[in-house]
Amino acid sequence: MMAAIPETMNALVLTGPGAFEIKQVATPTPGPREALVRVGAIAICGSDPAIVEGVKFKGLWPPGYPFTPGHEWAGTVVALGDGAARFHPGDRVAAEAHKGCGYCRNCMTGRYQLCENYGNAATGHRHYGFTSQGGYAEYVVASEHAIHNVGDMPFDEATNVDTAATALHAVQRGRVAVGEEVCVFGPGAVGLLCLQLALASGVARCFVVGRRHRLKMAVELGAVAVDYEQLGDPVAEIRRLTGGRGVDVAIDCAGKPATVQQSLAAVCNGGRVVCAGFAGDVELSLTDIVMREIDVLGVRADPNTAEEVIRLINKGSIRIGPMISHRFPLSDFGAALETFSKNLDNAIKVVVEP
Ligand SMILES: [Zn+2]
Ligand SMILES: [Zn+2]
């Protein structure tokens, strides 16, 4: 047997909009087909600051208080609920955030992140760290559907399995193919992973539109840099670099109205625009989309892509290590959150270790 599981644990607890504390709470117990995992590391996601603030997604994420957020965690399985058979105590695993009800039409066709019973826990649906308790804690409970064996991958890198899997879903939605040209807007974690996955898919060139330390990191990972701060109009530069044609696929990871519009303007006739950020309301020319037969594709999370990225990370085809810029203990969550959300000290991916 493993080390005894304590009855209480440290956890980040949101107590109201923008208010949180680290405090002792009861260690959760795994239910049927769930695992209890001792969290080794958890990364701050771009969506976490908004969940902590509790304004942008009021009443949805979190659904109420007290609430423990966090979905990009990795750790060790320490106990199993009834009927859980996929894992064993001691297994090293990484999480994904969505677990569908399992029986609605979308779940049955593999699109469980679009579960028709979203948010209805009685049906078995979970969205860990969003509508269900998450992983900024010493222990977390998750369905065996929502964890993946990572082998020997270090936990700090394994926190990015969910992020990398989301990037793979974006690349797959865009039907990125060997020999094509791709442009990624926004070299945050998802953008840098889209870049790496596009290159792993055999694209001829992957342009990345960004600036400063994140763009420098993109170049280190193989991108052709388009520095919008220096150049002004990134679309003109992409057109120039592609002989006027534009790219086959543009992936917006910046999540701003301007970058979505630039993505549309940067693709060739018949191209694909992949929207991986929350850009809000954006004005786009439907005439342009129709006349040039552009596919505009939304991307939500990472259905059925985690196992593939785990292989690529373990093989070294995707590099997570260089993207991890900061590490904090859970007790310093406030400093970790500030470093991440204010992009202090060249932050890219900030990891918290309980
Ligand atoms: Zn995330
Ligand atoms: Zn469902």
Side-chain angles (χ1 to χ4, degrees), residues 45-47 71-72 130 162-163 349:
C45 175
S47 57
H71 60 279
E72 297 184 358
F130 292 82
D162 187 60
T163 321
K349 209 65 188 170

Side-chain angles (χ1 to χ4, degrees), residues 6 24-26 51 82 85 90 98 123 127 129 131 135 179 242 252 333 341 343:
Q24 286 281 307
V25 300
I51 294 170
D82 289 344
H98 288 267
T123 66
H127 192 191
T131 64
T242 54
D252 174 52
F333 179 78
S341 36
N343 201 352

Side-chain angles (χ1 to χ4, degrees), residues 31-122:
R33 308 201 68 175
E34 290 179 334
L36 178 69
V37 179
R38 187 173 63 235
V39 178
I42 174 165
I44 301 184
C45 175
S47 57
D48 285 340
I51 294 170
V52 173
E53 279 160 28
V55 178
K56 191 172 177 186
F57 304 109
K58 192 169 182 281
L60 175 67
W61 304 338
Y65 299 97
F67 186 78
T68 295
H71 60 279
E72 297 184 358
W73 51 264
T76 309
V77 173
V78 292
L80 296 163
D82 289 344
R86 275 188 69 205
F87 296 91
H88 304 282
D91 283 353
R92 304 173 79 264
V93 297
E96 67 174 288
H98 288 267
K99 188 255 163 192
C101 72
Y103 53 82
C104 75
R105 180 72 187 155
N106 283 344
C107 283
M108 292 295 281
T109 54
R111 305 181 83 179
Y112 53 89
Q113 89 285 23
L114 309 177
C115 176
E116 288 165 11
N117 289 306
Y118 185 93
N120 184 349

Side-chain angles (χ1 to χ4, degrees), residues 262-315:
Q262 289 161 358
S263 296
L264 177 59
V267 293
C268 64
N269 293 353
R272 288 91 76 194
V273 172
V274 180
C275 301
F278 294 107
D281 296 331
V282 183
E283 207 170 291
L284 294 177
S285 166
L286 269 293
T287 303
D288 187 35
I289 289 169
V290 169
M291 291 297 281
R292 300 202 294 126
E293 273 206 351
I294 307 300
D295 291 353
V296 179
L297 303 143
V299 169
R300 183 165 189 189
D302 49 345
N304 299 308
T305 45
E307 301 287 337
E308 285 76 6
V309 295
I310 288 167
R311 290 182 204 130
L312 293 172
I313 295 167
N314 278 332
K315 178 171 170 264

Side-chain angles (χ1 to χ4, degrees), residues 315-328:
K315 178 171 170 264
S317 313
I318 308 177
R319 291 164 61 215
I320 304 293
M323 294 169 29
I324 299 173
S325 58
H326 294 77
R327 287 179 180 77
F328 290 89

